[in-house]
């Protein structure tokens, strides 16, 4: 961890809100700005990162210094680690209780040869349990920068996200900002915007709790399709408003100073 | 039975409650060796208490998915509302300890559990629909439940052993995503009482199906019958121009193809409808409010199919 300058966790109390999407896009946007980036997936029961970055079926190599992460391209500007790379069969269930998950995460943080990195992005499963406690405990001595919280606009998601924010406050992890994902859908035929999962929820939450609002990401089937496609991830960056919106808040996130957690 | 460990177990840990605990090669030098070696072994005496408690419950249905945010709680809530409407006695148990959505989806936020001499009383929506969730036990709804697995397992056990469910036609169990403590525990605790099976929820895109395949393999591994798979958020019809868009595109053939490949029953699909999300936020019975909508038709079909399979068992 010594060679890693910044460590950012991507968290949400709710599942399926786009934590892995935001983690991967965040990592990609940083790579495009010329940074060296590590992407660590600590969702052990449902790892999505290998698929999203198009690295399915790749293996992690072991060296005498530790595990070598998987690099999607030859410049090695992005290094990826996930349990998905360690499974012989991608459909095999990882039926592990907490202590085993904790031990695995500890290994991911201590035994992976990350090398020199500008950023390490940590993608997490939903909740406030073993994985989260393990990551915080393992990273504590390395002073993580803080957490990006992802939510969708609807109330059911916001309720769980409030719990995640309480968790951050309790363990002393600064909150870098809130991203509202799946915010509105624009019909490709008539351009009518429908708020499928309501709207403004993330923005209102950030105002209420005085946390920085990083921005909204609309529902964009092109983004979903991009994630689904696999293949080389870094080169695949189409001219899309959605991805530009993501780029913008990433620039915002890394250029302006870290706000204090409330 | 949970054992409190002094340190995380080593890589080849035989399992803290296994016969080998504290004795296998991997245990040499482990800080937990003494704890594991002396912990009581054998069947958990609570299982018998749970089985007794569950003897008044006819059907037990688990709602599972490897993926989060695909609609497990939404389906569990609509299923419970729909069964209760048909005059069945229904219990709905939420074992998502860190992110309980059920109180909100049933319009029960802020309610509390009452204790009586027969056990904990569920919170009732109607006379025939009782609900149990950790959400009823928090003093502030924003409080984080920062619990490791062992503690979560303890609460799930209490939900099964200490709650006075009464005579039920159906007990619907809503779960968090994954294949970890909550899932292993609920299956283990209900093993001798018997589970009808699991309804698996997914969305159409591969990123979700990937995790759902793991969940199906989990069920096969632990011996839980699969009642079938529901494809939720299956396409969106623009309310203005009626154009259908696959927001979460089934790039690998969706749930239909997965069910075919894995030899499990496909129960049906439910389209995206913003009114579902709204009804959930406000804790209302969507199917009753919009009986003619496409999503209601979808719900009806999958509920009918899954309960039919469950009743035949």
């Amino acid at each position: 961890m010594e060679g890693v300058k910044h460590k950012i966790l991507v968290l949400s109390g709710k599942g399926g809100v786009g934590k892995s999407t935001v983690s991967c896009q965040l990592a990609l946007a940083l790579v495009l700005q010329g940074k060296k980036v590590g992407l660590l997936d600590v969702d052990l029961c449902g790892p999505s990162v290998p698929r999203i970055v198009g690295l399915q079926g790749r293996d992690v190599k072991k060296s005498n210094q530790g595990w070598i992460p998987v690099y999607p391209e030859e410049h090695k500007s992005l290094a990826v680690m996930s349990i998905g790379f360690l499974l012989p069969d991608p459909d095999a269930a990882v039926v592990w209780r907490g202590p085993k998950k904790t031990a695995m995460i500890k290994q991911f943080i201590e035994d992976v040869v990350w090398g020199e990195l500008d950023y390490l992005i940590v993608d997490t499963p939903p909740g406030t349990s073993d994985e989260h406690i393990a990551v915080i405990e393992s990273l504590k001595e390395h002073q993580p920068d803080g957490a990006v919280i992802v939510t969708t606009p609807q109330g059911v998601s916001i309720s769980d996200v409030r719990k995640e924010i309480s968790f951050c406050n309790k363990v002393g992890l600064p909150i870098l900002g809130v991203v509202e994902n799946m915010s509105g859908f624009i019909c490709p035929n008539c351009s009518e915007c429908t708020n499928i999962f309501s709207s403004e929820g993330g923005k209102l939450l950030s105002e209420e709790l005085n946390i920085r609002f990083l921005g909204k990401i609309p529902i964009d089937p092109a983004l979903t399709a991009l994630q689904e496609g696999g293949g080389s991830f870094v080169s695949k960056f189409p001219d899309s408003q959605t991805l530009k919106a993501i780029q913008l808040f990433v620039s915002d996130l890394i250029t302006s100073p870290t706000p204090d957690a409330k | 039975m949970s054992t409190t460990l002094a340190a995380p177990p080593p890589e080849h840990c035989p399992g803290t409650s296994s016969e080998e605990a504290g004795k296998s090669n991997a245990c040499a030098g482990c800080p937990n060796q003494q704890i594991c070696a002396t912990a009581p072994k054998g069947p958990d005496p609570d299982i018998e208490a749970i089985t007794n408690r569950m003897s008044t419950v006819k059907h037990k249905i688990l709602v599972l998915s490897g993926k989060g945010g695909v609609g497990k709680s939404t389906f569990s809530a609509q299923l419970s509302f729909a069964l209760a409407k048909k005059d069945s006695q229904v219990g709905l148990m939420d074992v998502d300890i860190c992110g309980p959505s059920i109180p909100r989806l049933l319009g029960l936020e802020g309610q509390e559990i009452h204790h009586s001499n027969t056990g904990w009383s569920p919170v009732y929506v109607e006379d025939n629909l009782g609900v149990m969730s950790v959400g009823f036990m928090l003093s502030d709804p924003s409080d984080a439940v920062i619990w490791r697995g062992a503690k979560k397992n303890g609460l799930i056990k209490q939900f099964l052993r200490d709650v006075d469910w009464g005579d039920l036609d159906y007990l619907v169990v809503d779960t968090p995503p994954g294949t970890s403590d909550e899932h292993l525990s609920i299956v283990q605790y209900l093993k001798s009482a018997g589970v009808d099976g699991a309804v698996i929820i997914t969305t159409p895109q591969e990123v979700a199906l990937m995790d759902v395949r793991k969940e199906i393999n989990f069920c096969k591994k632990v011996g839980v019958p699969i009642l079938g798979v529901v494809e939720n958020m299956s396409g969106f019809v623009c309310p203005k121009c009626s154009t259908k868009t696959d927001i979460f595109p089934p790039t690998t053939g969706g749930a239909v193809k997965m069910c075919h490949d894995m030899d499990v029953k496909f129960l049906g699909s439910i389209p995206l409808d913003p009114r579902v999300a709204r009804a959930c936020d406000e804790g209302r019975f969507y199917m009753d409010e919009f009986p003619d909508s496409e999503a209601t038709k979808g719900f009806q079909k999958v509920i009918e199919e899954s309960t039919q399979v469950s009743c035949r068992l």
Side-chain angles (χ1 to χ4, degrees), chain A residues 15-16 47 51 87 90-99 101 128-130 133 155-156 159 163 166 189 192 219 228, chain B residues 9 68-69 104 138 141-145 147-149 152-153 179-181 185 188 206-207 214 217 240 243 247 251 281:
Chain A
R51 168 103 200 166
L87 301 176
D91 295 340
V94 177
V95 189
W96 289 1
R97 291 191 182 268
K101 294 195 283 192
T128 51
S129 191
D130 291 283
I133 302 169
V156 175
S159 320
K163 292 177 190 292
S166 304
N189 185 44
E192 170 84 354
I219 298 173
E228 289 273 295
Chain B
R104 187 180 190 116
L138 304 175
S142 303
D143 280 350
V145 180
W147 289 5
R148 291 187 185 270
K152 295 194 282 193
N153 300 336
T179 50
S180 190
D181 284 287
S185 296
Q188 192 186 324
E206 178 60 23
V207 173
K214 291 177 190 287
N217 284 328
K240 195 174 170 201
T243 303
I247 289 182
T251 54
D281 273 357

Short mmCIF file of all heavy atoms in Angstrom, two decimals, chain A residues 15-16 47 51 87 90-99 101 128-130 133 155-156 159 163 166 189 192 219 228, chain B residues 9 68-69 104 138 141-145 147-149 152-153 179-181 185 188 206-207 214 217 240 243 247 251 281:
data_model
loop_
_atom_site.label_atom_id
_atom_site.label_comp_id
_atom_site.label_asym_id
_atom_site.label_seq_id
_atom_site.Cartn_x
_atom_site.Cartn_y
_atom_site.Cartn_z
N GLY A 15 -28.08 -2.37 -3.00
CA GLY A 15 -27.51 -3.13 -4.11
C GLY A 15 -28.07 -2.66 -5.44
O GLY A 15 -29.15 -2.09 -5.50
N GLY A 16 -27.31 -2.93 -6.52
CA GLY A 16 -27.81 -2.65 -7.86
C GLY A 16 -28.03 -1.18 -8.19
O GLY A 16 -28.82 -0.86 -9.06
N PRO A 47 -18.98 -10.63 -7.80
CA PRO A 47 -18.01 -9.73 -8.42
C PRO A 47 -18.42 -9.34 -9.85
O PRO A 47 -18.62 -10.21 -10.68
CB PRO A 47 -16.73 -10.57 -8.45
CG PRO A 47 -17.19 -11.99 -8.47
CD PRO A 47 -18.51 -12.03 -7.76
N ARG A 51 -16.22 -8.43 -15.53
CA ARG A 51 -17.07 -8.35 -16.71
C ARG A 51 -17.11 -6.92 -17.26
O ARG A 51 -16.99 -6.70 -18.47
CB ARG A 51 -18.50 -8.79 -16.34
CG ARG A 51 -19.53 -8.50 -17.39
CD ARG A 51 -19.91 -9.74 -18.16
NE ARG A 51 -20.52 -9.40 -19.45
CZ ARG A 51 -20.69 -10.28 -20.41
NH1 ARG A 51 -20.29 -11.52 -20.25
NH2 ARG A 51 -21.25 -9.93 -21.53
N LEU A 87 -11.59 -17.68 -9.64
CA LEU A 87 -12.55 -18.79 -9.70
C LEU A 87 -12.34 -19.63 -10.94
O LEU A 87 -12.27 -19.10 -12.05
CB LEU A 87 -13.98 -18.24 -9.71
CG LEU A 87 -14.41 -17.38 -8.53
CD1 LEU A 87 -15.82 -16.85 -8.76
CD2 LEU A 87 -14.35 -18.18 -7.24
N PRO A 90 -16.72 -19.48 -13.71
CA PRO A 90 -17.32 -18.18 -13.41
C PRO A 90 -18.70 -18.28 -12.75
O PRO A 90 -19.14 -17.34 -12.11
CB PRO A 90 -17.42 -17.50 -14.78
CG PRO A 90 -17.30 -18.59 -15.79
CD PRO A 90 -16.47 -19.66 -15.15
N ASP A 91 -19.38 -19.42 -12.92
CA ASP A 91 -20.72 -19.56 -12.34
C ASP A 91 -20.70 -20.17 -10.94
O ASP A 91 -21.74 -20.32 -10.31
CB ASP A 91 -21.60 -20.43 -13.24
CG ASP A 91 -21.87 -19.77 -14.58
OD1 ASP A 91 -21.69 -18.54 -14.65
OD2 ASP A 91 -22.23 -20.47 -15.53
N ALA A 92 -19.51 -20.55 -10.48
CA ALA A 92 -19.44 -21.17 -9.15
C ALA A 92 -19.83 -20.16 -8.08
O ALA A 92 -19.43 -19.00 -8.14
CB ALA A 92 -18.02 -21.67 -8.90
N ALA A 93 -20.63 -20.59 -7.13
CA ALA A 93 -21.03 -19.71 -6.03
C ALA A 93 -19.91 -19.67 -5.00
O ALA A 93 -19.31 -20.70 -4.69
CB ALA A 93 -22.32 -20.21 -5.40
N VAL A 94 -19.63 -18.47 -4.50
CA VAL A 94 -18.67 -18.33 -3.41
C VAL A 94 -19.48 -18.32 -2.11
O VAL A 94 -20.01 -17.30 -1.71
CB VAL A 94 -17.84 -17.04 -3.57
CG1 VAL A 94 -16.88 -16.86 -2.41
CG2 VAL A 94 -17.07 -17.08 -4.89
N VAL A 95 -19.63 -19.51 -1.52
CA VAL A 95 -20.48 -19.64 -0.35
C VAL A 95 -19.59 -19.54 0.89
O VAL A 95 -19.14 -20.54 1.42
CB VAL A 95 -21.26 -20.97 -0.37
CG1 VAL A 95 -22.30 -21.00 0.73
CG2 VAL A 95 -21.94 -21.17 -1.72
N TRP A 96 -19.31 -18.31 1.27
CA TRP A 96 -18.40 -18.06 2.38
C TRP A 96 -19.10 -17.25 3.45
O TRP A 96 -19.78 -16.28 3.17
CB TRP A 96 -17.20 -17.24 1.92
CG TRP A 96 -16.25 -17.98 1.04
CD1 TRP A 96 -16.35 -19.27 0.62
CD2 TRP A 96 -15.05 -17.44 0.48
NE1 TRP A 96 -15.28 -19.58 -0.18
CE2 TRP A 96 -14.47 -18.47 -0.29
CE3 TRP A 96 -14.41 -16.21 0.56
CZ2 TRP A 96 -13.27 -18.30 -0.97
CZ3 TRP A 96 -13.23 -16.03 -0.13
CH2 TRP A 96 -12.66 -17.07 -0.88
N ARG A 97 -18.83 -17.62 4.69
CA ARG A 97 -19.27 -16.80 5.81
C ARG A 97 -18.25 -15.69 6.05
O ARG A 97 -17.17 -15.68 5.47
CB ARG A 97 -19.45 -17.65 7.05
CG ARG A 97 -20.62 -18.63 6.95
CD ARG A 97 -20.91 -19.23 8.30
NE ARG A 97 -21.99 -20.20 8.25
CZ ARG A 97 -23.27 -19.91 8.47
NH1 ARG A 97 -23.64 -18.66 8.73
NH2 ARG A 97 -24.18 -20.85 8.44
N GLY A 98 -18.62 -14.79 6.98
CA GLY A 98 -17.82 -13.60 7.24
C GLY A 98 -16.33 -13.78 7.44
O GLY A 98 -15.53 -13.13 6.76
N PRO A 99 -15.89 -14.67 8.36
CA PRO A 99 -14.45 -14.74 8.65
C PRO A 99 -13.60 -15.05 7.42
O PRO A 99 -12.52 -14.50 7.24
CB PRO A 99 -14.35 -15.87 9.68
CG PRO A 99 -15.68 -15.90 10.33
CD PRO A 99 -16.68 -15.51 9.27
N LYS A 101 -14.41 -14.29 4.31
CA LYS A 101 -14.41 -13.10 3.47
C LYS A 101 -13.41 -12.08 4.00
O LYS A 101 -12.66 -11.47 3.24
CB LYS A 101 -15.82 -12.48 3.43
CG LYS A 101 -16.84 -13.37 2.74
CD LYS A 101 -18.12 -12.63 2.37
CE LYS A 101 -19.01 -12.40 3.55
NZ LYS A 101 -20.36 -11.94 3.14
N THR A 128 -23.30 -2.99 5.35
CA THR A 128 -22.39 -2.45 6.36
C THR A 128 -21.94 -3.61 7.23
O THR A 128 -22.15 -3.62 8.43
CB THR A 128 -23.11 -1.40 7.24
OG1 THR A 128 -24.34 -1.98 7.72
CG2 THR A 128 -23.43 -0.15 6.49
N SER A 129 -21.35 -4.62 6.58
CA SER A 129 -21.05 -5.82 7.34
C SER A 129 -19.59 -6.26 7.17
O SER A 129 -18.71 -5.42 7.05
CB SER A 129 -22.03 -6.92 6.94
OG SER A 129 -21.94 -8.01 7.81
N ASP A 130 -19.35 -7.56 7.14
CA ASP A 130 -17.98 -8.07 7.16
C ASP A 130 -17.03 -7.41 6.17
O ASP A 130 -15.94 -6.99 6.54
CB ASP A 130 -18.00 -9.59 6.92
CG ASP A 130 -18.61 -10.34 8.08
OD1 ASP A 130 -17.93 -10.50 9.10
OD2 ASP A 130 -19.78 -10.74 7.98
N ILE A 133 -16.26 -3.73 7.13
CA ILE A 133 -15.43 -3.64 8.33
C ILE A 133 -14.00 -4.06 7.98
O ILE A 133 -13.03 -3.41 8.37
CB ILE A 133 -16.01 -4.52 9.47
CG1 ILE A 133 -17.45 -4.09 9.79
CG2 ILE A 133 -15.13 -4.44 10.71
CD1 ILE A 133 -18.20 -5.05 10.72
N GLY A 155 -36.83 6.59 -2.73
CA GLY A 155 -36.78 6.58 -1.27
C GLY A 155 -36.20 5.30 -0.69
O GLY A 155 -35.45 5.33 0.29
N VAL A 156 -36.54 4.16 -1.29
CA VAL A 156 -36.07 2.88 -0.76
C VAL A 156 -34.54 2.82 -0.78
O VAL A 156 -33.92 2.27 0.12
CB VAL A 156 -36.66 1.72 -1.60
CG1 VAL A 156 -36.10 0.39 -1.15
CG2 VAL A 156 -38.17 1.70 -1.49
N SER A 159 -33.03 5.42 1.92
CA SER A 159 -33.05 4.93 3.32
C SER A 159 -31.82 4.10 3.62
O SER A 159 -31.22 4.23 4.70
CB SER A 159 -34.26 4.03 3.60
OG SER A 159 -35.39 4.48 2.99
N LYS A 163 -28.00 4.81 6.04
CA LYS A 163 -27.30 3.88 6.94
C LYS A 163 -25.83 3.83 6.59
O LYS A 163 -24.97 3.76 7.47
CB LYS A 163 -27.89 2.48 6.82
CG LYS A 163 -29.30 2.37 7.36
CD LYS A 163 -29.84 0.97 7.16
CE LYS A 163 -31.31 0.89 7.46
NZ LYS A 163 -31.60 1.08 8.88
N SER A 166 -24.18 6.83 7.95
CA SER A 166 -23.97 6.66 9.40
C SER A 166 -22.76 5.80 9.66
O SER A 166 -21.97 6.05 10.58
CB SER A 166 -25.18 5.98 10.06
OG SER A 166 -26.35 6.69 9.82
N ASN A 189 -36.85 7.62 -28.66
CA ASN A 189 -37.75 7.93 -29.77
C ASN A 189 -38.31 9.34 -29.68
O ASN A 189 -38.28 10.10 -30.63
CB ASN A 189 -38.88 6.89 -29.79
CG ASN A 189 -39.80 7.06 -30.98
OD1 ASN A 189 -39.32 7.26 -32.10
ND2 ASN A 189 -41.09 7.02 -30.74
N GLU A 192 -38.87 12.16 -24.40
CA GLU A 192 -39.58 12.41 -23.15
C GLU A 192 -38.75 11.84 -22.00
O GLU A 192 -38.25 10.72 -22.07
CB GLU A 192 -40.96 11.71 -23.21
CG GLU A 192 -41.73 11.67 -21.91
CD GLU A 192 -42.52 12.94 -21.66
OE1 GLU A 192 -42.39 13.91 -22.44
OE2 GLU A 192 -43.25 12.96 -20.66
N ILE A 219 -30.24 7.23 -16.73
CA ILE A 219 -30.32 5.85 -17.22
C ILE A 219 -30.02 5.91 -18.70
O ILE A 219 -30.69 6.61 -19.44
CB ILE A 219 -31.73 5.26 -17.01
CG1 ILE A 219 -32.07 5.22 -15.52
CG2 ILE A 219 -31.83 3.87 -17.63
CD1 ILE A 219 -33.50 4.82 -15.24
N GLU A 228 -21.89 -4.38 -20.81
CA GLU A 228 -22.22 -5.76 -21.13
C GLU A 228 -21.25 -6.33 -22.14
O GLU A 228 -21.02 -7.52 -22.19
CB GLU A 228 -23.64 -5.82 -21.72
CG GLU A 228 -24.72 -5.57 -20.72
CD GLU A 228 -25.11 -6.84 -20.01
OE1 GLU A 228 -25.63 -7.76 -20.64
OE2 GLU A 228 -24.87 -6.89 -18.79
N PRO B 9 -10.06 -16.91 10.45
CA PRO B 9 -9.52 -18.25 10.26
C PRO B 9 -8.53 -18.29 9.09
O PRO B 9 -8.59 -17.45 8.22
CB PRO B 9 -10.76 -19.08 9.92
CG PRO B 9 -11.78 -18.11 9.49
CD PRO B 9 -11.45 -16.79 10.08
N GLY B 68 -27.91 -7.35 -6.23
CA GLY B 68 -28.68 -6.39 -5.46
C GLY B 68 -29.52 -5.50 -6.36
O GLY B 68 -29.23 -5.34 -7.54
N GLY B 69 -30.57 -4.93 -5.78
CA GLY B 69 -31.37 -3.94 -6.51
C GLY B 69 -32.12 -4.45 -7.71
O GLY B 69 -32.46 -3.70 -8.62
N ARG B 104 -40.59 -0.22 4.84
CA ARG B 104 -41.04 0.86 3.97
C ARG B 104 -41.98 0.37 2.88
O ARG B 104 -43.01 0.99 2.60
CB ARG B 104 -39.81 1.52 3.33
CG ARG B 104 -40.18 2.74 2.54
CD ARG B 104 -38.96 3.38 1.91
NE ARG B 104 -39.36 4.67 1.38
CZ ARG B 104 -38.89 5.83 1.82
NH1 ARG B 104 -38.02 5.86 2.77
NH2 ARG B 104 -39.30 6.96 1.29
N LEU B 138 -34.79 -0.57 15.20
CA LEU B 138 -33.82 0.52 15.24
C LEU B 138 -34.46 1.78 15.83
O LEU B 138 -35.58 2.13 15.46
CB LEU B 138 -33.32 0.84 13.82
CG LEU B 138 -32.72 -0.32 13.05
CD1 LEU B 138 -32.38 0.10 11.63
CD2 LEU B 138 -31.47 -0.83 13.75
N PRO B 141 -34.17 5.35 12.07
CA PRO B 141 -34.10 4.58 10.81
C PRO B 141 -32.80 4.77 10.04
O PRO B 141 -32.47 3.96 9.18
CB PRO B 141 -35.29 5.10 10.01
CG PRO B 141 -35.73 6.37 10.67
CD PRO B 141 -35.31 6.27 12.10
N SER B 142 -32.05 5.83 10.34
CA SER B 142 -30.77 6.03 9.64
C SER B 142 -29.62 5.28 10.29
O SER B 142 -28.51 5.28 9.75
CB SER B 142 -30.41 7.52 9.60
OG SER B 142 -31.43 8.25 9.00
N ASP B 143 -29.86 4.68 11.45
CA ASP B 143 -28.78 3.95 12.12
C ASP B 143 -28.24 2.84 11.23
O ASP B 143 -29.01 2.10 10.62
CB ASP B 143 -29.29 3.29 13.42
CG ASP B 143 -29.37 4.28 14.56
OD1 ASP B 143 -28.85 5.40 14.40
OD2 ASP B 143 -29.97 3.94 15.61
N ALA B 144 -26.90 2.74 11.19
CA ALA B 144 -26.30 1.64 10.45
C ALA B 144 -26.25 0.41 11.34
O ALA B 144 -25.99 0.52 12.54
CB ALA B 144 -24.89 2.02 10.01
N VAL B 145 -26.56 -0.74 10.77
CA VAL B 145 -26.42 -1.99 11.52
C VAL B 145 -25.08 -2.58 11.11
O VAL B 145 -24.95 -3.26 10.10
CB VAL B 145 -27.58 -2.96 11.18
CG1 VAL B 145 -27.44 -4.25 11.97
CG2 VAL B 145 -28.92 -2.31 11.48
N TRP B 147 -22.88 -5.03 11.66
CA TRP B 147 -22.77 -6.36 12.27
C TRP B 147 -22.02 -7.29 11.36
O TRP B 147 -22.26 -7.35 10.16
CB TRP B 147 -24.17 -6.97 12.49
CG TRP B 147 -24.96 -6.32 13.57
CD1 TRP B 147 -24.62 -5.22 14.29
CD2 TRP B 147 -26.25 -6.75 14.03
NE1 TRP B 147 -25.62 -4.94 15.18
CE2 TRP B 147 -26.63 -5.85 15.04
CE3 TRP B 147 -27.10 -7.80 13.68
CZ2 TRP B 147 -27.84 -5.97 15.70
CZ3 TRP B 147 -28.30 -7.92 14.33
CH2 TRP B 147 -28.66 -7.02 15.34
N ARG B 148 -21.16 -8.09 11.96
CA ARG B 148 -20.52 -9.17 11.21
C ARG B 148 -21.50 -10.34 11.12
O ARG B 148 -22.55 -10.35 11.76
CB ARG B 148 -19.26 -9.62 11.93
CG ARG B 148 -18.14 -8.60 11.90
CD ARG B 148 -16.89 -9.24 12.48
NE ARG B 148 -15.81 -8.29 12.60
CZ ARG B 148 -14.92 -8.05 11.64
NH1 ARG B 148 -15.03 -8.67 10.47
NH2 ARG B 148 -13.94 -7.20 11.83
N GLY B 149 -21.08 -11.33 10.33
CA GLY B 149 -21.95 -12.47 10.05
C GLY B 149 -22.56 -13.14 11.27
O GLY B 149 -23.77 -13.38 11.33
N LYS B 152 -25.46 -11.38 12.72
CA LYS B 152 -26.62 -11.43 11.83
C LYS B 152 -27.31 -12.79 11.94
O LYS B 152 -28.54 -12.88 12.01
CB LYS B 152 -26.19 -11.17 10.38
CG LYS B 152 -25.65 -9.78 10.15
CD LYS B 152 -25.54 -9.42 8.67
CE LYS B 152 -24.34 -10.05 8.02
NZ LYS B 152 -24.04 -9.48 6.69
N ASN B 153 -26.48 -13.84 11.99
CA ASN B 153 -27.05 -15.19 12.11
C ASN B 153 -27.88 -15.32 13.38
O ASN B 153 -28.93 -15.96 13.39
CB ASN B 153 -25.94 -16.24 12.12
CG ASN B 153 -25.11 -16.19 10.87
OD1 ASN B 153 -25.58 -15.74 9.83
ND2 ASN B 153 -23.88 -16.64 10.95
N THR B 179 -24.40 -14.91 -1.34
CA THR B 179 -24.43 -16.32 -0.97
C THR B 179 -23.58 -16.47 0.28
O THR B 179 -22.59 -17.19 0.27
CB THR B 179 -23.85 -17.20 -2.09
OG1 THR B 179 -22.58 -16.63 -2.48
CG2 THR B 179 -24.75 -17.25 -3.31
N SER B 180 -23.96 -15.75 1.32
CA SER B 180 -23.08 -15.74 2.49
C SER B 180 -23.84 -16.08 3.77
O SER B 180 -24.75 -16.90 3.75
CB SER B 180 -22.38 -14.39 2.55
OG SER B 180 -21.37 -14.41 3.52
N ASP B 181 -23.49 -15.44 4.85
CA ASP B 181 -24.04 -15.81 6.16
C ASP B 181 -25.57 -15.91 6.20
O ASP B 181 -26.11 -16.92 6.64
CB ASP B 181 -23.57 -14.81 7.22
CG ASP B 181 -22.12 -15.04 7.61
OD1 ASP B 181 -21.85 -16.03 8.31
OD2 ASP B 181 -21.26 -14.27 7.17
N SER B 185 -27.44 -19.42 6.74
CA SER B 185 -28.13 -19.60 8.01
C SER B 185 -29.60 -19.93 7.79
O SER B 185 -30.12 -20.86 8.40
CB SER B 185 -28.01 -18.33 8.85
OG SER B 185 -26.67 -18.14 9.17
N GLN B 188 -29.91 -23.42 6.61
CA GLN B 188 -29.54 -24.37 7.66
C GLN B 188 -30.62 -24.45 8.74
O GLN B 188 -31.03 -25.54 9.15
CB GLN B 188 -28.23 -23.87 8.25
CG GLN B 188 -27.50 -24.81 9.16
CD GLN B 188 -26.29 -24.09 9.77
OE1 GLN B 188 -25.64 -23.25 9.11
NE2 GLN B 188 -25.99 -24.39 11.00
N GLU B 206 -26.58 -9.17 -18.58
CA GLU B 206 -25.61 -10.20 -18.21
C GLU B 206 -24.95 -9.91 -16.86
O GLU B 206 -24.68 -10.83 -16.08
CB GLU B 206 -24.56 -10.36 -19.32
CG GLU B 206 -23.45 -11.36 -19.04
CD GLU B 206 -23.93 -12.79 -18.80
OE1 GLU B 206 -25.03 -13.15 -19.25
OE2 GLU B 206 -23.19 -13.54 -18.13
N VAL B 207 -24.69 -8.64 -16.57
CA VAL B 207 -24.04 -8.30 -15.29
C VAL B 207 -24.87 -8.82 -14.11
O VAL B 207 -24.33 -9.20 -13.07
CB VAL B 207 -23.79 -6.77 -15.18
CG1 VAL B 207 -23.29 -6.39 -13.81
CG2 VAL B 207 -22.79 -6.32 -16.22
N LYS B 214 -24.74 -17.82 -10.00
CA LYS B 214 -24.09 -18.24 -8.75
C LYS B 214 -25.14 -18.61 -7.70
O LYS B 214 -24.99 -19.57 -6.96
CB LYS B 214 -23.20 -17.13 -8.19
CG LYS B 214 -21.97 -16.85 -9.02
CD LYS B 214 -21.21 -15.68 -8.42
CE LYS B 214 -20.09 -15.20 -9.32
NZ LYS B 214 -18.95 -16.11 -9.36
N ASN B 217 -26.62 -21.93 -8.49
CA ASN B 217 -25.69 -22.99 -8.09
C ASN B 217 -25.63 -23.15 -6.57
O ASN B 217 -25.46 -24.26 -6.07
CB ASN B 217 -24.30 -22.72 -8.66
CG ASN B 217 -24.24 -23.06 -10.14
OD1 ASN B 217 -24.93 -23.98 -10.59
ND2 ASN B 217 -23.46 -22.32 -10.90
N LYS B 240 -45.26 8.32 -23.07
CA LYS B 240 -45.71 9.31 -24.05
C LYS B 240 -45.90 8.70 -25.43
O LYS B 240 -46.94 8.86 -26.05
CB LYS B 240 -44.69 10.46 -24.11
CG LYS B 240 -45.25 11.68 -24.80
CD LYS B 240 -44.26 12.82 -24.71
CE LYS B 240 -44.69 13.97 -25.60
NZ LYS B 240 -43.54 14.85 -25.90
N THR B 243 -43.02 3.69 -27.10
CA THR B 243 -41.88 2.94 -27.63
C THR B 243 -41.27 2.12 -26.50
O THR B 243 -41.07 2.62 -25.39
CB THR B 243 -40.79 3.91 -28.16
OG1 THR B 243 -41.39 4.73 -29.13
CG2 THR B 243 -39.62 3.15 -28.76
N ILE B 247 -33.94 -1.08 -21.30
CA ILE B 247 -32.99 -0.29 -20.51
C ILE B 247 -31.86 -1.15 -19.99
O ILE B 247 -30.70 -0.76 -19.97
CB ILE B 247 -33.75 0.42 -19.37
CG1 ILE B 247 -34.61 1.53 -19.98
CG2 ILE B 247 -32.79 0.96 -18.32
CD1 ILE B 247 -35.37 2.35 -19.01
N THR B 251 -28.51 -8.90 -23.40
CA THR B 251 -27.50 -9.14 -24.44
C THR B 251 -27.12 -10.61 -24.56
O THR B 251 -26.61 -11.03 -25.58
CB THR B 251 -26.22 -8.34 -24.16
OG1 THR B 251 -25.79 -8.66 -22.83
CG2 THR B 251 -26.45 -6.85 -24.27
N ASP B 281 -42.00 3.14 -2.59
CA ASP B 281 -41.57 4.23 -1.71
C ASP B 281 -42.66 4.60 -0.71
O ASP B 281 -42.39 4.99 0.41
CB ASP B 281 -41.21 5.48 -2.53
CG ASP B 281 -39.76 5.45 -2.98
OD1 ASP B 281 -39.05 4.50 -2.60
OD2 ASP B 281 -39.34 6.37 -3.69
#
